[in-house]
């Protein structure tokens, strides 16, 4: 899943970005409203973490622009203002969630996860595909009751596929949602990672779950 | 003296009216008594005259003509007693009198006052006595020739004053009664009037009570207050204005502090939480600790600045003037930033005159200098240049601090002085600044009776110029 962090205070921006990356998200960080808007317009982000008190172009204006342009990203607002009026304003302008500074990072993480689930209309934190069970909160994967250890990247990729289980996911989709903006664009990197993932989850004795649609992409499901 | 206004007013007015009424009653009584006595005395004198006309004298003696009317003496409402003597003290006639009656025992000497006077009667009671010296008429006046010498006689008439005394006593009682009732009525009326008159005070007390601690925007209407209370009410309103603005300032300060500290705090906690979320290499911990320390220091500086700004707002900042070497202050202020400047490859130009003395508050000027040098060292583009100038110009000293790589547009100069305004923060290699610096600098410089101005060209030089009076 891809997250954009727009926050001008460096320490906060860096810490949140690092924390989200370590939790398996692909994170891009912007230090100003203008930069953030540029990134958001050019990339598809699942969640945008937006600070309201930005210099020059303030957060609410960025939010308005995003919504006017029809951005499908879910927006979580970070702000030091905690009055109800501010919360209402932010939500009415199109924010999906609201967190007051200072916050517990775990909570930010949980809310971002919730927004991702919402985006993919997965109400339950447990995803079940065939005999595979993915706990999106605990970030664990098991098949037929046996735990499978994945790296953060692998998990992110699997979760992305699982969120759209049964749907075709193109390489471009995977690339844009799971890998960061500034990474080198090599199309077979996706294939390589899918291969890694397959090796881990499609153990001998367990059925195939990741199906290739030649020339198009991949589908996660019991049947191709 | 009692502390109650109402009691004092009541006491004062009651005392005054008592005295006035007392005096009036006294005068009234005196006048009426005088009239009654005059009436009595007139009757007495008439009686005496009547008796005297009954006395006749001839060549040999003075005698009283026993008149049938005379036998009426002693009858009637009051008892009369009389005695008549000739000029040698020989008794001519006298009424039935009880022995020992004063004034009737012996003839008065000629020359004693002839006015009526009260005497004590034997057997108790009181009487009024009048004395008449007269010359008895010639016996058979019409038929006989006048005498060669006329002898004098003296009549003393005493009348019981029982009736008079009774009437006087009645008068006294009536007046006392009227006086007493009048006093009571007036006291009651006074009490009511005083209470009514003091209601504005009670109303004011109620209004003040109604202005609670939560809503200080109310003012006491001047048109409702009596004239005497206008100064009090006006002063009260002024005080309310002061208190309200003081509380508003405090609220603003508290809101500013909490608001501005929240972001650095969020950064601090996020950094620590993320750092502590898993096992890391020592270098990572070191880095994290360094960043957190910087953030904490930044917050400290922000709080200090906010406090100074708040004090300046509340006009509680009082400069202590002393001679200060501005050049030395600049050099001392620059020291903490030398490292940063070197690390960023900045060139420094010093053009500071020696002995640049200024009469000012050293600690406040130090804050300004530190803020400006901090900004220059922070916002100068990497590999750029910082110019620090100080010179004397007539009666002022001019300090100028400028840096290349300005990111502020010339049109944003007014914004730059606003509180909490932050310029473009798209820098990855410098600390976050809270934006309070220039607002604080301007506040302080104004307090020190100087001026501060900024010239800037986007991409060019950002220049801050300070003018301070050399002597205060």
């Amino acid at each position: 899943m891809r997250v954009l962090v727009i926050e001008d205070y460096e320490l906060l921006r860096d810490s949140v970005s690092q924390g989200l990356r370590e939790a398996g998200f692909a994170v891009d960080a912007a230090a100003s409203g203008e930069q953030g808007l540029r990134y958001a317009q050019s990339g598809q982000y699942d969640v945008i973490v937006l600070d309201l008190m930005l210099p020059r172009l303030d957060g609410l204006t960025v939010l308005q622009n995003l919504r006017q342009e029809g951005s499908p990203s879910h927006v979580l607002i970070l702000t030091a203002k905690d009055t109800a009026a501010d919360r209402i304003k932010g939500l009415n302008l199109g924010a999906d969630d609201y967190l007051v500074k200072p916050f517990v990072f775990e909570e930010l993480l949980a809310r971002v996860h919730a927004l991702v689930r919402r985006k993919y209309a997965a109400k339950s934190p447990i995803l079940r595909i065939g005999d595979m069970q993915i706990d999106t909160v605990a970030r664990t994967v098991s098949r037929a009751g046996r735990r499978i250890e994945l790296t953060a990247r692998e998990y992110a990729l699997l979760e992305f596929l699982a969120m759209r289980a049964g749907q075709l996911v193109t390489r471009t989709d995977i690339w844009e949602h799971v890998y960061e903006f500034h990474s080198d664009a090599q199309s077979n990197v996706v294939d390589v990672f899918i291969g890694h993932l397959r090796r881990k989850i499609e153990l001998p004795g367990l059925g195939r779950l990741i199906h290739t649609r030649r020339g198009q992409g991949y589908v996660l499901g019991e049947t191709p | 003296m009692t502390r109650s206004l109402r009691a004092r007013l009541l006491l004062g007015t009651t005392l005054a009216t008592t005295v006035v009424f007392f005096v009036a009653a006294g005068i009234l009584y005196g006048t009426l008594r005088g009239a009654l006595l005059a009436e009595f005395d007139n009757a007495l004198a008439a009686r005496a005259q009547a008796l005297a006309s009954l006395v006749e004298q001839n060549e040999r003696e003075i005698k009283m003509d026993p008149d049938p009317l005379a036998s009426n003496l002693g009858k009637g409402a009051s008892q009369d007693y009389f005695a008549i003597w000739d000029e040698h003290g020989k008794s001519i006639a006298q009424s039935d009198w009880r022995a020992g009656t004063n004034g009737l025992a012996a003839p008065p000497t000629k020359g004693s006052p002839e006015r009526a006077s009260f005497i004590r009667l034997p057997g108790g009671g009181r009487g009024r006595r009048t004395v008449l010296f007269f010359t008895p008429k010639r016996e058979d006046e019409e038929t006989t020739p006048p005498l060669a010498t006329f002898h004098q006689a003296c009549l003393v008439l005493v009348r019981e004053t029982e009736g008079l005394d009774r009437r006087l006593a009645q008068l006294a009682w009536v007046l006392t009664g009227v006086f007493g009732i009048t006093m009571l009525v007036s006291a009651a009326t006074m009490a009511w009037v005083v209470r009514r008159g003091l209601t504005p005070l009670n109303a004011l007390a109620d209004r003040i009570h109604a202005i609670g601690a939560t809503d200080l925007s109310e003012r006491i209407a001047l048109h409702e207050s009596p004239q005497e209370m206008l100064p009090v009410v006006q002063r009260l309103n002024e005080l309310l204005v002061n208190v309200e603005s003081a509380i508003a300032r405090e609220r603003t300060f508290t809101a500013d502090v909490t608001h501005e500290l929240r972001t650095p705090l969020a950064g601090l906690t996020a950094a620590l939480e993320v750092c502590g979320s898993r096992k890391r290499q020592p270098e990572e911990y070191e880095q994290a600790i360094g960043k957190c320390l910087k953030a904490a220091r930044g917050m400290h500086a922000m709080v200090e600045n906010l406090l100074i700004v708040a004090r300046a707002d509340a006009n509680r900042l009082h400069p202590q003037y002393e001679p200060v070497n501005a050049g030395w202050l600049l050099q001392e202020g620059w020291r903490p930033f030398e490292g940063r400047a070197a690390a960023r490859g900045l060139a420094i130009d010093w053009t500071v005159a020696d002995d640049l003395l200024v009469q000012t508050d050293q600690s406040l000027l130090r804050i300004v200098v530190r803020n400006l040098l901090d900004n220059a060292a922070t916002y100068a583009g990497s590999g750029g240049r910082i110019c620090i100038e100080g010179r004397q110009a007539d009666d002022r000293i001019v300090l100028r601090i400028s840096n290349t790589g300005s990111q502020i547009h010339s049109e944003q100069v007014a914004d730059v002085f606003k509180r909490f305004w932050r310029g473009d923060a798209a820098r990855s290699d410098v600390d976050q600044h809270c934006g309070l610096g220039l607002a604080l600098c301007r506040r302080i410089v104004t307090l020190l009776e100087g001026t501060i101005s900024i010239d800037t060209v986007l991409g060019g030089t950002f220049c801050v110029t300070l003018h301070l009076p050399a002597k205060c």
Side-chain angles (χ1 to χ4, degrees), chain A residues 9-10 15 22 80 101 105, chain B residues 262-263 273 278 280 428:
Chain A
Y9 187 58
E10 187 190 359
S15 310
E22 289 177 1
K101 295 186 213 173
F105 184 75
Chain B
R262 275 181 169 161
T263 297
E273 275 177 36
R278 56 171 72 172
R280 299 186 188 274
S428 57

Side-chain angles (χ1 to χ4, degrees), chain A residues 167-178:
Chain A
Q167 299 168 24
L168 175 69
V169 182
T170 65
R171 281 192 192 77
T172 321
D173 281 342
I174 295 172
W175 180 253
E176 283 179 349
H177 279 92
V178 184

Side-chain angles (χ1 to χ4, degrees), chain B residues 246 249-250 307-318 443:
Chain B
R249 265 202 310 273
E250 198 196 299
L307 265 175
I308 295 176
V309 168
R311 274 197 210 122
D313 277 350
N315 296 320
R316 286 198 292 130
L317 212 54
H318 303 297
R443 200 79 179 70

Side-chain angles (χ1 to χ4, degrees), chain B residues 10 22 34 40 116 162 268 271 284 307 351 353 372 385:
Chain B
L10 212 52
F22 197 74
F40 188 88
E162 193 188 316
L268 206 52
E284 280 185 79
L307 265 175
T351 338
L372 295 177
R385 175 175 297 270

Side-chain angles (χ1 to χ4, degrees), chain B residues 207-224:
Chain B
R207 283 288 281 115
I208 292 172
H209 192 71
I211 298 176
T214 48
D215 179 16
L216 285 171
S217 59
E218 282 194 55
R219 301 284 172 265
I220 303 176
L222 287 176
H223 66 263
E224 286 173 358

Side-chain angles (χ1 to χ4, degrees), chain A residues 7-12 14-15 18-19 22 53 55-56 80-82 101-106, chain B residues 259 262-264 266-267 269-271 273-274 277-278 280 291 295 412 422-424 428 430 432:
Chain A
E7 163 64 60
D8 67 316
Y9 187 58
E10 187 190 359
L11 188 60
L12 183 58
D14 289 348
S15 310
Q18 182 184 352
E22 289 177 1
M53 295 291 290
R56 294 211 287 223
K81 292 189 191 173
D82 69 341
K101 295 186 213 173
F103 49 82
V104 175
F105 184 75
E106 287 289 315
Chain B
H259 183 268
R262 275 181 169 161
T263 297
T269 48
E273 275 177 36
V274 168
S277 67
R278 56 171 72 172
R280 299 186 188 274
K291 285 185 188 173
Q412 291 175 302
R422 273 171 279 190
D424 183 7
S428 57
V430 293
Q432 177 62 39

